């Protein structure tokens, strides 16, 4: 079996493919495969497309005696275990990360072991961008508590529920997590632009290939150009957009990134949940009112608490579980409104079912995995892979 597609190469190595219909496969620095859906008219279409593509990809991998795992974190490797795809860009990134963040070069290991499910959303105007972005930034830790799914690292239970989120907190704070203005009442494209202009590029692409960029703010390069006499280009700007890894990343779309990835049968819960909140103005504004009011420091503390205890976390005296239930209700109202307008299919609501069960029971994907690891999986990597590989009939909920 083979996947049709147009291959892409870097330094002579196959690093991705454009699939028929517009979806893309990319090889991440540590060898993980990133699948990016083509745009679709509704959530159900995106999820169906993704599940079918992942099933085919898993079948191709199986022909080579390889199992594909999704979720949130590869549970058996150490941060320094990954073997890097030997491209110039990866070498430049490793050099950069050796100087930044709590984990130094091991930060790249985190990026290799993390395997999340992300969702992207359109915006129509600066006002629309502000309302969507500020809500997503504020609501993210509460929503992420429903999705925690990485209690294992190095083949052992860590004692927390999201090793992936914990490690994100130690990444280079100038590029990861929240930008300084994240909890503002109003977030504009101008705020984002000024912030990006204050950061240096990690690397740039020239006709000769990828190379180190000067360690000066991008704004200085915009004013004075590069040492080789070339001016900053639109391609350099897009490169800068892709070299920050905030929990919501602003590019041509809004990309929600903090949530851990669910087990593969439930990946549709993430785009369904965020679509209900993001694309229905009444639900979006109510979610903002529910989640607003924290400082950036308080927000970071909440992310840390959620990484440890998930829905059991508290914020300003409120139960995160109760707040998550309110967000889930608002998301459902948003999806129902879109269904009535013919913008979504009725079966889209079924994608929220695992979240209903998680909120009502208080047991997250991570809680279930931790119990299974010491129970039916008998702390066996082989049993874990057989249960959680893409294509397995195993259902943790």
């Amino acid at each position: 079996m083979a996947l049709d597609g147009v291959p892409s190469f870097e330094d002579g190595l196959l690093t991705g493919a454009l699939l028929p219909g517009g979806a893309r496969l990319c090889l991440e620095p540590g060898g993980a495969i990133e699948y990016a859906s083509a745009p679709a008219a509704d959530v159900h279409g995106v999820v169906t497309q993704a599940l079918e593509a992942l099933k085919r990809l898993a079948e191709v991998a199986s022909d080579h005696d390889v199992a594909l795992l999704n979720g949130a974190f590869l549970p058996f490797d150490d941060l320094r275990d990954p073997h890097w795809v030997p491209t110039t860009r990866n070498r430049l990134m490793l050099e950069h990360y050796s100087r930044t963040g709590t984990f130094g070069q091991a930060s790249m290991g985190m990026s290799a072991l993390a395997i999340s499910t992300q969702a992207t959303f359109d915006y129509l105007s600066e006002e629309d961008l502000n309302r969507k972005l500020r809500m997503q930034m504020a609501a993210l830790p509460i929503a992420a508590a429903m999705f925690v799914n990485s209690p294992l690292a190095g083949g052992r239970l860590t004692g927390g529920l999201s090793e992936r989120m914990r490690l994100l907190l130690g990444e280079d704070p100038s590029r990861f997590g929240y930008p300084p203005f994240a909890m503002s009442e109003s977030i504009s494209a101008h705020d984002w632009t000024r912030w990006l202009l204050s950061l240096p590029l990690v690397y740039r692409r020239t006709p000769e290939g990828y190379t180190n960029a000067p360690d000066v703010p991008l704004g200085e390069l915009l004013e004075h150009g590069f040492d080789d006499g070339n001016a900053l280009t639109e391609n350099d700007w897009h490169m800068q957009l892709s070299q920050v890894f905030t929990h919501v990343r602003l590019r041509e779309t809004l990309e929600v990134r903090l949530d851990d990835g669910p087990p593969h049968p439930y990946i549709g819960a993430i785009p369904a949940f965020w679509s209900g909140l993001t694309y229905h103005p009444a639900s979006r504004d109510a979610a903002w009112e529910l989640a607003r009011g924290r400082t950036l420091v308080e927000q970071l503390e909440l992310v840390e608490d959620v990484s440890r205890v998930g829905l059991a976390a508290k914020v300003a005296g409120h139960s995160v579980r109760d707040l998550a239930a309110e967000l889930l209700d608002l998301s459902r109202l948003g999806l129902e409104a879109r269904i009535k307008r013919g913008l979504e299919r009725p079966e889209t609501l079924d994608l929220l079912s695992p979240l209903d069960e998680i909120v009502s029971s208080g047991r997250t994907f991570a809680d279930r995995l931790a119990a299974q690891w010491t129970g039916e999986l008998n702390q066996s990597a082989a049993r874990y892979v057989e249960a959680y590989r893409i294509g397995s009939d195993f259902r943790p909920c």
Side-chain angles (χ1 to χ4, degrees):
M1 178 178 291
L3 288 171
D4 297 326
V6 179
S8 57
F9 297 88
E10 183 181 325
D11 294 346
L13 300 173
L14 177 65
T15 56
L18 176 63
L19 302 181
R24 288 185 176 273
L25 296 175
C26 297
L27 194 61
E28 293 286 272
I33 298 172
E34 178 181 281
Y35 169 79
S37 305
D42 55 41
V43 172
H44 189 271
V46 169
V47 173
T48 299
Q49 174 197 145
L51 290 174
E52 289 176 352
L54 291 176
K55 180 181 178 182
R56 281 194 69 198
L57 192 60
E59 290 169 349
V60 172
S62 180
D63 290 342
H64 298 275
D65 295 323
V66 173
L68 292 188
L69 298 173
N70 76 321
F73 201 76
L74 292 176
F76 309 118
D77 293 331
D78 183 80
L79 286 176
R80 291 171 175 79
D81 285 342
H83 298 282
W84 304 108
V85 178
T87 62
T88 302
R89 180 169 49 163
N90 285 348
R91 177 181 58 79
L92 296 172
M93 291 173 67
L94 283 165
E95 290 174 359
H96 170 77
Y97 283 113
S98 69
R99 304 187 298 271
T100 63
T102 302
F103 308 113
Q105 196 173 71
S107 294
M108 281 286 283
M110 200 291 292
S111 70
L113 300 181
I115 41 175
S116 64
T117 299
Q118 300 166 7
T120 59
F121 301 92
D122 299 316
Y123 52 91
L124 302 176
S125 65
E126 182 146 1
E127 181 182 2
D128 188 49
L129 169 65
N130 169 54
R131 291 181 178 276
K132 289 174 177 174
L133 181 53
R134 69 180 187 177
M135 180 278 291
Q136 290 176 346
M137 287 284 195
L140 256 174
I142 299 168
M146 293 186 287
F147 292 104
V148 287
N149 189 31
S150 48
L152 290 169
R156 297 179 299 276
L157 292 173
T158 64
L161 297 182
S162 178
E163 181 69 359
R164 173 182 167 273
M165 287 174 59
R166 185 189 75 82
L167 292 173
L168 280 173
L169 290 165
E171 296 286 7
D172 177 0
S174 70
R175 295 180 182 273
F176 283 79
Y178 283 106
F181 48 82
M183 301 305 292
S184 302
E185 293 282 315
S186 177
I187 306 175
S188 70
H190 297 291
D191 295 326
W192 208 274
T193 300
R194 284 192 295 269
W195 175 57
L196 290 180
L197 289 174
S198 73
L199 301 176
L201 279 167
V202 177
Y203 54 83
R204 59 187 286 238
R205 190 168 191 171
T206 68
E208 291 74 36
Y210 290 101
T211 185
N212 277 315
D215 190 20
V216 299
L218 191 69
E220 290 188 23
L221 297 177
L222 181 63
E223 184 175 356
H224 302 295
F226 294 98
D227 291 340
D228 58 14
N230 289 312
L232 198 72
T233 68
E234 185 176 348
N235 286 336
D236 294 318
W237 175 248
H238 285 288
M239 193 73 68
Q240 179 77 317
L241 288 171
S242 69
Q243 291 177 13
V244 296
F245 305 95
T246 46
H247 296 327
V248 181
R249 185 156 65 171
L250 173 59
R251 295 191 284 184
E252 292 82 1
T253 56
L254 290 169
E255 182 179 284
V256 179
R257 301 169 52 88
L258 179 62
D259 298 325
D260 276 0
H264 78 271
Y266 310 122
I267 62 173
I270 284 181
F273 172 81
W274 284 108
S275 291
L277 288 187
T278 302
Y279 284 143
H280 182 238
S283 292
R284 181 193 63 215
D285 293 345
W288 162 246
E289 291 298 329
L290 179 75
R292 66 186 293 191
R294 289 185 294 280
T295 66
L296 183 55
V297 170
E298 290 168 339
Q299 188 78 334
L300 292 171
E301 290 173 348
L302 178 56
V303 173
E304 182 177 6
D305 289 345
V306 165
S307 76
R308 290 188 298 102
V309 297
L311 290 171
K314 300 216 177 261
V315 55
H318 297 287
S319 160
V320 166
R321 180 178 171 185
D322 290 343
L323 295 174
E326 291 187 57
L327 287 181
L328 185 55
D329 287 343
L330 290 172
S331 174
R332 179 173 288 102
L333 287 173
L335 289 178
E336 288 172 345
R338 289 176 58 78
I339 289 168
K340 288 179 182 177
R341 295 178 59 195
L343 299 174
E344 302 284 356
R345 302 178 214 185
E347 53 265 41
T348 302
L349 290 173
D350 296 338
L351 298 173
L352 298 180
S353 295
L355 302 184
D356 291 330
E357 207 283 329
I358 284 169
V359 168
S360 64
S361 68
R363 297 185 69 232
T364 62
F365 295 122
D367 292 309
R368 296 163 200 273
L369 174 54
Q372 290 159 354
W373 180 246
T374 55
E376 63 206 82
L377 298 181
N378 197 29
Q379 302 183 50
S380 163
R383 289 188 181 185
Y384 176 96
V385 170
E386 181 56 30
Y388 281 92
R389 64 180 173 82
I390 294 174
S392 167
D393 293 329
F394 177 73
R395 296 291 184 272
C397 286

